[in-house]
Amino acid sequence: MTPAAADASLWALLAGPFLEFGFMRRALAGCVALSLGCAPVGVFLLLRRMSLTGDAMAHAILPGAAVGYLLAGLSLPAMTAGGALAGLLVAVASGVVARSTVLREDASMAAFYLLSLALGVLIVSTRGSHVDLLHVLFGTVLALDDAALWLIGGITGFTLAALALLLRPLAAECMDPGFLRSVSPRWSAAAHYGFLALLVLNLVAGFHALGTLMAVGIMVLPAASARLWARSLGGLLALAAGMALAASVAGLLLSYHLDWPASPVIVLCLGALYAASLALGRHGLWRGRGERF
Protein backbone atom coordinates (compact mmCIF):
# COMPACT_ATOMS: atom_id res chain seq x y z
CA MET A 1 0.00 0.00 0.00
CA THR A 2 1.34 3.41 -0.97
CA PRO A 3 1.69 6.20 1.62
CA ALA A 4 -1.13 8.12 -0.05
CA ALA A 5 -3.41 5.10 0.07
CA ALA A 6 -2.47 4.48 3.70
CA ASP A 7 -3.28 8.08 4.59
CA ALA A 8 -6.62 7.86 2.78
CA SER A 9 -7.44 4.61 4.56
CA LEU A 10 -6.56 6.10 7.95
CA TRP A 11 -8.63 9.20 7.20
CA ALA A 12 -11.61 7.05 6.24
CA LEU A 13 -11.18 5.00 9.42
CA LEU A 14 -11.00 8.01 11.73
CA ALA A 15 -13.12 10.68 10.05
CA GLY A 16 -15.37 8.62 7.78
CA PRO A 17 -18.01 7.70 10.40
CA PHE A 18 -18.44 11.35 11.44
CA LEU A 19 -18.55 12.63 7.86
CA GLU A 20 -20.95 9.97 6.63
CA PHE A 21 -23.49 9.59 9.42
CA GLY A 22 -25.51 12.29 11.15
CA PHE A 23 -25.99 10.24 14.32
CA MET A 24 -22.21 10.03 14.74
CA ARG A 25 -21.88 13.80 14.37
CA ARG A 26 -24.61 14.35 16.97
CA ALA A 27 -22.92 11.86 19.31
CA LEU A 28 -19.62 13.70 18.82
CA ALA A 29 -21.26 17.06 19.56
CA GLY A 30 -22.81 15.64 22.72
CA CYS A 31 -19.46 14.22 23.85
CA VAL A 32 -17.72 17.56 23.22
CA ALA A 33 -20.29 19.34 25.39
CA LEU A 34 -20.10 16.72 28.13
CA SER A 35 -16.29 16.84 28.13
CA LEU A 36 -16.27 20.62 28.55
CA GLY A 37 -18.92 20.61 31.29
CA CYS A 38 -18.60 17.36 33.22
CA ALA A 39 -14.81 17.05 33.38
CA PRO A 40 -14.22 20.41 35.17
CA VAL A 41 -16.99 19.54 37.64
CA GLY A 42 -15.26 16.20 38.14
CA VAL A 43 -12.02 18.01 39.00
CA PHE A 44 -13.66 19.78 41.93
CA LEU A 45 -15.45 16.57 42.85
CA LEU A 46 -12.04 14.91 43.09
CA LEU A 47 -10.38 17.77 44.98
CA ARG A 48 -13.27 17.85 47.46
CA ARG A 49 -12.88 14.08 48.01
CA MET A 50 -16.46 13.51 46.86
CA SER A 51 -15.90 11.10 43.95
CA LEU A 52 -18.10 8.38 45.43
CA THR A 53 -20.71 11.01 46.27
CA GLY A 54 -20.87 11.77 42.56
CA ASP A 55 -21.56 8.10 41.85
CA ALA A 56 -24.29 8.09 44.48
CA MET A 57 -25.88 11.22 43.01
CA ALA A 58 -25.81 9.68 39.52
CA HIS A 59 -27.97 6.84 40.80
CA ALA A 60 -30.16 9.20 42.82
CA ILE A 61 -31.51 10.92 39.69
CA LEU A 62 -32.96 7.66 38.37
CA PRO A 63 -36.35 7.66 40.17
CA GLY A 64 -37.08 11.25 39.15
CA ALA A 65 -36.27 10.48 35.53
CA ALA A 66 -38.37 7.31 35.80
CA VAL A 67 -41.36 9.26 37.16
CA GLY A 68 -40.96 11.75 34.31
CA TYR A 69 -40.96 8.84 31.88
CA LEU A 70 -44.01 7.35 33.57
CA LEU A 71 -45.97 10.60 33.29
CA ALA A 72 -44.89 11.79 29.85
CA GLY A 73 -43.10 8.92 28.11
CA LEU A 74 -39.67 9.57 26.61
CA SER A 75 -40.09 13.31 27.11
CA LEU A 76 -36.82 15.19 27.44
CA PRO A 77 -38.19 18.05 29.62
CA ALA A 78 -40.11 15.71 31.93
CA MET A 79 -37.21 13.30 32.47
CA THR A 80 -34.75 16.17 32.90
CA ALA A 81 -36.89 17.98 35.45
CA GLY A 82 -37.63 14.76 37.32
CA GLY A 83 -33.98 13.72 37.44
CA ALA A 84 -32.78 17.15 38.59
CA LEU A 85 -35.46 17.34 41.29
CA ALA A 86 -34.68 13.84 42.57
CA GLY A 87 -30.95 14.55 42.69
CA LEU A 88 -31.41 17.80 44.59
CA LEU A 89 -33.85 16.16 47.03
CA VAL A 90 -31.39 13.36 47.80
CA ALA A 91 -28.54 15.86 48.28
CA VAL A 92 -30.59 18.02 50.65
CA ALA A 93 -32.09 15.05 52.52
CA SER A 94 -28.71 13.42 53.11
CA GLY A 95 -27.32 16.72 54.37
CA VAL A 96 -30.23 17.18 56.78
CA VAL A 97 -29.86 13.63 58.10
CA ALA A 98 -26.10 14.07 58.57
CA ARG A 99 -26.60 17.30 60.52
CA SER A 100 -29.50 16.04 62.63
CA THR A 101 -28.43 12.50 63.57
CA VAL A 102 -25.31 10.55 64.47
CA LEU A 103 -24.97 9.32 60.87
CA ARG A 104 -22.22 10.85 58.76
CA GLU A 105 -23.06 12.27 55.33
CA ASP A 106 -21.50 9.36 53.43
CA ALA A 107 -23.72 6.88 55.29
CA SER A 108 -26.91 8.88 54.74
CA MET A 109 -26.01 9.43 51.07
CA ALA A 110 -25.42 5.71 50.58
CA ALA A 111 -28.81 4.88 52.11
CA PHE A 112 -30.68 7.39 49.97
CA TYR A 113 -28.92 6.46 46.75
CA LEU A 114 -29.55 2.72 47.21
CA LEU A 115 -33.25 3.37 47.82
CA SER A 116 -33.38 5.74 44.85
CA LEU A 117 -31.70 3.26 42.54
CA ALA A 118 -34.02 0.44 43.57
CA LEU A 119 -37.10 2.62 43.20
CA GLY A 120 -36.04 3.91 39.79
CA VAL A 121 -35.27 0.45 38.39
CA LEU A 122 -38.60 -0.81 39.74
CA ILE A 123 -40.57 2.02 38.11
CA VAL A 124 -38.89 1.66 34.71
CA SER A 125 -38.99 -2.14 34.66
CA THR A 126 -42.66 -2.41 35.65
CA ARG A 127 -43.97 0.48 33.54
CA GLY A 128 -41.65 0.31 30.56
CA SER A 129 -39.92 -2.24 28.37
CA HIS A 130 -36.58 -3.97 28.67
CA VAL A 131 -35.21 -1.59 26.01
CA ASP A 132 -36.36 1.44 28.02
CA LEU A 133 -34.56 0.12 31.10
CA LEU A 134 -31.34 -0.40 29.13
CA HIS A 135 -31.56 3.13 27.69
CA VAL A 136 -32.03 4.66 31.13
CA LEU A 137 -29.20 2.68 32.72
CA PHE A 138 -26.68 2.74 29.87
CA GLY A 139 -27.64 5.79 27.82
CA THR A 140 -28.28 6.45 24.16
CA VAL A 141 -25.32 8.56 23.03
CA LEU A 142 -25.74 7.34 19.44
CA ALA A 143 -29.40 8.37 19.45
CA LEU A 144 -29.09 11.95 20.67
CA ASP A 145 -31.54 14.27 18.93
CA ASP A 146 -31.38 18.03 18.49
CA ALA A 147 -33.39 18.70 21.67
CA ALA A 148 -31.01 16.61 23.77
CA LEU A 149 -28.01 18.35 22.23
CA TRP A 150 -29.47 21.78 23.02
CA LEU A 151 -30.10 20.67 26.60
CA ILE A 152 -26.57 19.28 27.07
CA GLY A 153 -25.04 22.33 25.41
CA GLY A 154 -27.09 24.69 27.56
CA ILE A 155 -26.04 22.90 30.75
CA THR A 156 -22.40 23.04 29.62
CA GLY A 157 -22.60 26.76 28.93
CA PHE A 158 -24.22 27.44 32.29
CA THR A 159 -21.63 25.25 34.02
CA LEU A 160 -18.68 27.06 32.48
CA ALA A 161 -20.15 30.46 33.39
CA ALA A 162 -20.88 29.34 36.96
CA LEU A 163 -17.39 27.85 37.39
CA ALA A 164 -15.82 31.08 36.16
CA LEU A 165 -17.80 32.96 38.82
CA LEU A 166 -17.16 30.47 41.64
CA LEU A 167 -13.61 29.43 40.73
CA ARG A 168 -11.82 31.21 43.59
CA PRO A 169 -14.22 30.19 46.40
CA LEU A 170 -14.40 26.64 45.04
CA ALA A 171 -10.61 26.39 44.99
CA ALA A 172 -10.40 27.84 48.51
CA GLU A 173 -13.02 25.41 49.80
CA CYS A 174 -11.15 22.47 48.30
CA MET A 175 -7.92 23.49 50.03
CA ASP A 176 -9.25 24.76 53.37
CA PRO A 177 -13.06 24.86 53.80
CA GLY A 178 -12.80 26.01 57.41
CA PHE A 179 -10.81 29.09 56.41
CA LEU A 180 -13.33 30.05 53.72
CA ARG A 181 -16.24 29.67 56.15
CA SER A 182 -14.46 31.89 58.69
CA VAL A 183 -13.59 34.73 56.30
CA SER A 184 -16.62 34.62 53.99
CA PRO A 185 -19.60 32.51 55.08
CA ARG A 186 -21.70 33.69 52.13
CA TRP A 187 -19.17 32.66 49.52
CA SER A 188 -18.63 29.38 51.35
CA ALA A 189 -22.36 28.59 51.17
CA ALA A 190 -22.55 29.74 47.55
CA ALA A 191 -19.61 27.54 46.60
CA HIS A 192 -20.98 24.49 48.42
CA TYR A 193 -24.58 24.59 47.26
CA GLY A 194 -23.70 26.00 43.85
CA PHE A 195 -21.33 23.10 43.29
CA LEU A 196 -23.98 20.56 44.30
CA ALA A 197 -26.40 22.14 41.82
CA LEU A 198 -23.78 21.98 39.05
CA LEU A 199 -23.09 18.35 39.95
CA VAL A 200 -26.77 17.40 39.64
CA LEU A 201 -27.22 19.34 36.38
CA ASN A 202 -24.21 17.72 34.75
CA LEU A 203 -25.25 14.27 35.93
CA VAL A 204 -28.63 14.89 34.29
CA ALA A 205 -26.84 15.92 31.08
CA GLY A 206 -24.66 12.81 31.26
CA PHE A 207 -27.70 10.68 32.01
CA HIS A 208 -29.24 11.51 28.61
CA ALA A 209 -26.09 10.46 26.76
CA LEU A 210 -24.38 7.80 28.89
CA GLY A 211 -27.11 6.60 31.27
CA THR A 212 -27.24 6.68 35.05
CA LEU A 213 -24.65 3.92 35.47
CA MET A 214 -22.06 5.58 33.24
CA ALA A 215 -22.66 9.33 33.63
CA VAL A 216 -20.25 9.79 36.52
CA GLY A 217 -17.46 8.10 34.55
CA ILE A 218 -16.89 11.15 32.33
CA MET A 219 -16.56 13.23 35.50
CA VAL A 220 -14.30 11.17 37.73
CA LEU A 221 -11.98 9.27 35.37
CA PRO A 222 -10.65 12.28 33.37
CA ALA A 223 -10.16 14.25 36.59
CA ALA A 224 -8.27 11.38 38.22
CA SER A 225 -6.13 10.89 35.11
CA ALA A 226 -5.32 14.60 34.80
CA ARG A 227 -4.46 14.79 38.52
CA LEU A 228 -1.58 12.40 37.86
CA TRP A 229 -0.06 14.84 35.33
CA ALA A 230 -1.03 18.43 36.15
CA ARG A 231 0.85 20.79 38.47
CA SER A 232 -1.71 23.60 38.67
CA LEU A 233 -5.47 23.95 38.93
CA GLY A 234 -5.74 25.55 35.49
CA GLY A 235 -3.72 22.76 33.91
CA LEU A 236 -5.80 20.19 35.74
CA LEU A 237 -9.08 21.63 34.42
CA ALA A 238 -7.83 21.89 30.83
CA LEU A 239 -6.20 18.47 30.80
CA ALA A 240 -9.26 16.76 32.28
CA ALA A 241 -11.50 18.24 29.57
CA GLY A 242 -9.01 17.26 26.85
CA MET A 243 -8.70 13.70 28.13
CA ALA A 244 -12.48 13.35 28.36
CA LEU A 245 -12.84 14.49 24.75
CA ALA A 246 -10.04 12.25 23.44
CA ALA A 247 -11.45 9.17 25.17
CA SER A 248 -14.97 10.00 23.99
CA VAL A 249 -13.88 10.24 20.36
CA ALA A 250 -11.89 7.00 20.66
CA GLY A 251 -14.87 5.29 22.28
CA LEU A 252 -17.26 6.42 19.56
CA LEU A 253 -14.93 5.15 16.83
CA LEU A 254 -14.36 1.81 18.53
CA SER A 255 -18.07 1.44 19.11
CA TYR A 256 -18.79 2.14 15.44
CA HIS A 257 -16.13 -0.14 13.94
CA LEU A 258 -16.57 -3.03 16.39
CA ASP A 259 -20.35 -2.72 16.75
CA TRP A 260 -20.13 -2.44 20.53
CA PRO A 261 -22.37 -0.35 22.83
CA ALA A 262 -21.01 3.20 22.93
CA SER A 263 -21.41 4.22 26.58
CA PRO A 264 -19.37 1.43 28.20
CA VAL A 265 -16.73 1.66 25.46
CA ILE A 266 -16.31 5.40 26.14
CA VAL A 267 -15.91 4.73 29.87
CA LEU A 268 -13.43 1.93 29.18
CA CYS A 269 -11.39 4.31 27.00
CA LEU A 270 -11.42 6.75 29.91
CA GLY A 271 -10.26 3.87 32.10
CA ALA A 272 -7.40 3.10 29.69
CA LEU A 273 -6.26 6.73 29.92
CA TYR A 274 -6.42 6.48 33.71
CA ALA A 275 -4.33 3.27 33.69
CA ALA A 276 -1.72 4.89 31.43
CA SER A 277 -1.63 7.98 33.63
CA LEU A 278 -1.35 5.86 36.75
CA ALA A 279 1.67 4.08 35.31
CA LEU A 280 3.42 6.94 33.51
CA GLY A 281 2.07 10.20 34.95
CA ARG A 282 4.17 12.83 36.68
CA HIS A 283 2.62 11.77 39.99
CA GLY A 284 2.04 8.15 39.00
CA LEU A 285 3.54 4.87 40.13
CA TRP A 286 6.63 4.90 37.91
CA ARG A 287 7.79 8.49 38.43
CA GLY A 288 6.76 8.80 42.06
CA ARG A 289 4.36 11.18 43.73
CA GLY A 290 6.26 14.30 42.68
CA GLU A 291 5.06 17.82 43.34
CA ARG A 292 1.65 18.68 44.68
CA PHE A 293 -0.43 21.82 44.48
Side-chain angles (χ1 to χ4, degrees):
M1 182 181 295
T2 65
D7 290 343
S9 177
L10 182 62
W11 176 258
L13 189 69
L14 297 179
F18 301 113
L19 296 175
E20 186 175 354
F21 298 106
F23 73 88
M24 289 293 290
R25 291 193 294 273
R26 286 191 293 272
L28 178 61
C31 287
V32 169
L34 287 176
S35 299
L36 293 176
C38 291
V41 171
V43 167
F44 289 105
L45 199 67
L46 181 76
L47 294 178
R48 291 162 64 97
R49 297 176 178 85
M50 293 174 61
S51 298
L52 291 179
T53 299
D55 185 54
M57 293 299 297
H59 293 81
I61 69 176
L62 181 56
V67 170
Y69 166 78
L70 180 63
L71 295 176
L74 291 173
S75 167
L76 185 68
M79 295 179 70
T80 299
L85 181 61
L88 290 172
L89 283 175
V90 168
V92 172
S94 62
V96 169
V97 169
R99 287 164 176 76
S100 305
T101 69
V102 296
L103 291 176
R104 296 181 62 179
E105 191 164 8
D106 59 340
S108 60
M109 179 69 75
F112 279 110
Y113 111 75
L114 288 170
L115 293 173
S116 298
L117 177 62
L119 179 60
V121 171
L122 179 64
I123 292 172
V124 177
S125 60
T126 56
R127 296 291 183 175
S129 66
H130 179 65
V131 174
D132 294 329
L133 180 60
L134 289 178
H135 284 180
V136 168
L137 294 179
F138 300 106
T140 54
V141 67
L142 295 180
L144 291 175
D145 56 17
D146 292 341
L149 286 178
W150 278 109
L151 172 70
I152 295 172
I155 290 175
T156 296
F158 177 79
T159 298
L160 293 176
L163 287 178
L165 177 65
L166 296 174
L167 182 61
R168 289 174 64 89
L170 273 175
E173 190 177 46
C174 290
M175 304 306 172
D176 191 346
F179 172 77
L180 182 63
R181 281 195 299 268
S182 65
V183 299
S184 181
R186 290 184 179 179
W187 275 112
S188 176
H192 179 73
Y193 292 107
F195 176 75
L196 286 180
L198 290 179
L199 174 61
V200 172
L201 284 175
N202 281 274
L203 286 173
V204 169
F207 154 75
H208 287 295
L210 302 177
T212 57
L213 295 185
M214 303 288 173
V216 75
I218 202 168
M219 285 188 178
V220 173
L221 287 171
S225 301
R227 183 65 183 88
L228 294 165
W229 292 96
R231 292 195 291 183
S232 67
L233 180 58
L236 181 55
L237 291 168
L239 188 57
M243 286 183 163
L245 180 56
S248 297
V249 173
L252 288 176
L253 289 171
L254 285 174
S255 170
Y256 173 81
H257 290 297
L258 299 177
D259 195 23
W260 287 349
S263 297
V265 174
I266 289 173
V267 175
L268 286 173
C269 288
L270 289 166
L273 270 180
Y274 172 69
S277 300
L278 192 63
L280 304 174
R282 186 188 304 273
H283 310 301
L285 297 175
W286 182 50
R287 298 178 64 179
R289 299 178 69 178
E291 301 175 16
R292 289 182 175 270
F293 62 86

